[in-house]
Amino acid sequence: MGLAENQLCFDLIEDWIRKNPIASICTAEGVKNFKDVAIFQDYHGFSEFRKAIAKFMSKVRGGRVTFDPDRIVMGGGPTGANELVMFCLADPGDAFLVPSPCYPGFVRDLGWRTGAQIVPVHCDTQQFQVTKQALESAYEKAKNDKINVKGLLITNPSNPLGTTLDRETLRNLVSFVNDKNIHLVCDEIYAAAAFDFPSYVSVSEVIEEVENCDKDLIHIVYSLSKDMGLPGFRVGIVYSYNDAVVSCGRKVSSFGLVSSQTQHLLAAMLNDDVFVSNFLSESSKRLKNRHDYFAKGLEEVGINCLKNNAGLFFWMDLRRLLKEQTFDGEMALWRVIVNEAKLNVSPGSSFQCSEPGWFRVTFACS
C-alpha cells in the first residue's frame, strides 16, 4: 500500500502476449526479427515505437489532441524522463516551483545529478488546490532568496492526491509561466488513471486555448509505468513543444534509452487499436471498482479521504488519530500502522504536506 503500482490489468496484457507471439523476439514466431532488434538502433528510437506512443498518448486524452512522433524523446522510465528535462532546462542551482503535497522522488529525480532544486508551493489544505496567489508567493520568496526560478512542475493527475486539475486552473498555470517567462513541465504519467468525474484535461489541450501561449515553454513527461502497470519496462517519455529541448533531449537520452526489445514489443501492442481501446476502458472500470470498494471500507471505520477521481491512491485523513498535531505525532502514528497493523502507508510529511495527519494509501497494488 506504500508503492504506487497498478497491478489490476496484467491479465489483459498477458492475454495479448499469448495471442501475439510474433511481437516478441523471444518466441519461435518472432525470432526472425532478433538480429534487426538486437543491433545498434537510432537513439531517436524505433519509428514504429514513437508513432505508437504518440497515438497511445492521444487515445489516453480522448483523441482531443494529437502528438507528433518526431517530438517523442525517450528516457529511462519517468525518473529518467524527469531528469532529462532538468538537464535540458536548468543549470545547477536553478529551481522549479512544485505544488505540494508532491511526489517525494522529485528531490532525487530533478536534483541529485543536475544540481537543480525544488521550491515547494504550499497549497490550501482544505482542498489542496494550487492557486495563483500561492504561486506568486512562492515565486517572490524564491526571488528574494536569490534563487533563479526556471520553471513550474505540476503532476496531473496528482500523486499523492489522486485529483485532476480543471481546465481553468490549467489555463491559469499556463498564463502564469507565460507571464514569468519560465517553463511548465507537466508530469502526466497517470493520465489514463482517471476513473470518475470530472474527466481528465491535459495541458496539451489547454495550450491551444490560451491566447499568445509560448509553446516553447511547455513540456510533458509521460510513461507506461502507471497507465499500463509496466514500471519494470522503464518507458519514460518527454514530449516537448520546444525544438531545442527535443534536440538536446535526444543527445542526453543516449544515457537512458528504452531497450530495443521493449520498443519492438510495445510498438506492436500499442498499434493494436482494439486491444488499446479495451484496455483503457477496462482499466478505468477496475480502478473505479477498487476505489469504491476501498472507500466504502474506510468509511465504515470512520476514516475520511480527500475526494478524488484519478490515480492509484487515496489521500487519507488521520488527523483525529494523532496524539499531538505535529509531524512527530504523524510519524508516531505511522510507526503504529507499520509495526502493529503491518500496513505500509506513506506519511504526508514525505510528500512535503504542510499539515500533519495525512497519509497516502495505494489501492491498486494487487
Side-chain angles (χ1 to χ4, degrees):
M1 290 183 174
L3 186 62
E5 280 193 335
N6 183 358
Q7 299 185 20
L8 301 184
C9 290
F10 280 148
D11 60 310
L12 302 180
I13 296 176
E14 290 167 359
D15 183 60
W16 185 91
I17 291 173
R18 290 189 191 96
K19 293 176 179 177
N20 295 271
I22 196 172
S24 172
I25 59 172
C26 297
T27 63
E29 294 86 348
V31 72
K32 65 180 181 296
N33 293 313
F34 178 83
K35 180 182 177 182
D36 290 338
V37 174
I39 60 177
F40 272 117
Q41 305 300 331
D42 188 332
Y43 284 167
H44 294 184
F46 285 146
S47 175
E48 314 90 78
F49 174 72
R50 288 186 287 110
K51 289 176 181 177
I53 285 286
K55 185 166 69 170
F56 183 74
M57 289 174 65
S58 178
K59 277 206 167 190
V60 165
R61 290 150 183 82
R64 295 180 297 273
V65 63
T66 58
F67 294 92
D68 182 354
D70 289 334
R71 293 194 174 277
I72 298 286
V73 181
M74 294 186 295
T79 295
N82 275 311
E83 185 186 61
L84 186 150
V85 169
M86 288 301 111
F87 271 124
C88 291
L89 300 181
D91 292 321
D94 287 347
F96 269 69
L97 304 177
V98 181
S100 69
C102 60
Y103 169 56
F106 279 150
V107 172
R108 172 201 64 202
D109 299 356
L110 307 182
W112 275 13
R113 296 199 297 183
T114 68
Q117 58 181 314
I118 68 171
V119 174
V121 180
H122 294 298
C123 302
D124 173 22
T125 55
Q126 292 301 312
Q127 295 298 323
F128 294 98
Q129 293 179 340
V130 58
T131 63
K132 187 173 181 180
Q133 181 180 3
L135 289 171
E136 290 284 359
S137 177
Y139 181 80
E140 290 303 322
K141 183 180 185 306
K143 283 182 60 179
N144 292 336
D145 292 340
K146 309 300 182 186
I147 297 173
N148 182 37
V149 176
K150 207 61 179 284
L152 167 66
L153 172 65
I154 61 171
T155 58
N156 182 37
S158 168
N159 175 10
L161 302 179
T163 56
T164 54
L165 296 173
D166 60 57
R167 192 175 296 272
E168 186 59 31
T169 299
L170 282 168
R171 284 197 193 102
N172 290 337
L173 297 179
V174 171
S175 295
F176 175 80
V177 299
N178 271 266
D179 291 344
K180 305 297 184 186
N181 194 34
I182 59 176
H183 294 274
L184 176 60
V185 177
C186 301
D187 184 334
E188 297 189 346
I189 67 172
Y190 293 95
F195 51 79
D196 211 342
F197 181 83
S199 58
Y200 175 70
V201 180
S202 168
V203 72
S204 55
E205 302 171 52
V206 171
I207 59 176
E208 302 298 334
E209 304 167 2
V210 176
E211 188 175 354
N212 299 321
C213 173
D214 184 356
K215 291 184 180 180
D216 279 352
L217 300 175
I218 310 298
H219 322 275
I220 296 172
V221 171
Y222 189 57
S223 171
L224 300 183
S225 295
K226 312 301 182 181
D227 282 353
M228 295 197 72
L230 301 174
F233 277 32
R234 308 312 300 148
V235 177
I237 297 298
V238 174
Y239 188 91
S240 178
Y241 293 87
N242 186 314
D243 293 340
V245 170
V246 172
S247 177
C248 177
R250 285 196 167 143
K251 295 177 176 66
V252 176
S253 72
S254 61
F255 296 98
L257 294 172
V258 179
S259 80
S260 54
Q261 181 179 355
T262 300
Q263 291 183 56
H264 178 73
L265 174 68
L266 290 177
M269 184 183 297
L270 298 183
N271 273 318
D272 186 334
D273 292 334
V274 173
F275 166 78
V276 168
S277 295
N278 178 65
F279 180 91
L280 292 176
S281 174
E282 186 64 22
S283 176
S284 181
K285 289 176 186 176
R286 293 184 187 187
L287 283 170
K288 179 166 174 53
N289 288 340
R290 178 64 65 85
H291 169 275
D292 292 351
Y293 175 81
F294 206 100
K296 182 180 179 182
L298 291 174
E299 185 179 346
E300 288 175 353
V301 295
I303 294 177
N304 295 320
C305 297
L306 182 73
K307 183 175 175 55
N308 64 334
N309 65 315
L312 315 177
F313 22 71
F314 285 96
W315 191 234
M316 189 167 59
D317 184 0
L318 300 184
R319 288 175 293 180
R320 65 182 178 83
L321 299 181
L322 298 184
K323 290 185 177 180
E324 58 180 56
Q325 297 295 316
T326 64
F327 288 111
D328 286 340
E330 177 181 276
M331 293 306 295
L333 176 59
W334 176 74
R335 291 187 184 95
V336 170
I337 297 171
V338 170
N339 296 325
E340 297 184 25
K342 305 299 183 184
L343 297 175
N344 183 24
V345 300
S346 306
S349 54
S350 65
F351 300 92
Q352 302 204 35
C353 183
S354 59
E355 181 180 21
W358 293 89
F359 290 76
R360 190 195 74 174
V361 54
T362 302
F363 60 81
C365 48
S366 64

